[in-house]
Amino acid sequence: MNCYPNPTDGALPLAYILPMEMDVTLRMYNSASAEMNASAQGTQGADGHAAQLDMAQFAAGIYLVKFVLGPDVVFRKVFVE
């Protein structure tokens, strides 16, 4: 999963490739572990996909993006300016 640009103060595009159809969940948490946003939920087919988070609505700081692809879980740190 790619998160670029990072740090950001606006739109954060996320790109990912699925090898087969699977359930996808994208959640974002602040430094106090409170869920801030959820998107890209549901079953998606095999291929390249993209999602976008609007980071402009969040205060400056460090956030954690949790990306669940079927049985796999990936975390990315995102810095908001």
Side-chain angles (χ1 to χ4, degrees):
M1 178 177 90
N2 293 326
C3 299
Y4 182 82
N6 191 7
T8 186
D9 62 357
L12 178 66
L14 306 169
Y16 53 98
I17 298 172
L18 300 177
M20 65 184 99
E21 183 178 279
M22 59 181 63
D23 290 333
V24 174
T25 304
L26 173 64
R27 298 187 189 281
M28 190 176 76
Y29 301 89
N30 66 12
S31 58
S33 299
E35 186 174 312
M36 305 300 291
N37 192 358
S39 64
Q41 297 183 32
T43 302
Q44 297 182 357
D47 204 352
H49 296 274
Q52 185 166 300
L53 293 175
D54 180 12
M55 304 304 287
Q57 62 185 328
F58 300 111
I62 300 171
Y63 295 85
L64 189 65
V65 176
K66 178 182 178 184
F67 200 64
V68 181
L69 300 168
D72 299 322
V73 179
V74 177
F75 291 94
R76 294 288 187 264
K77 234 186 261 187
V78 176
F79 299 90
V80 175
E81 295 181 315

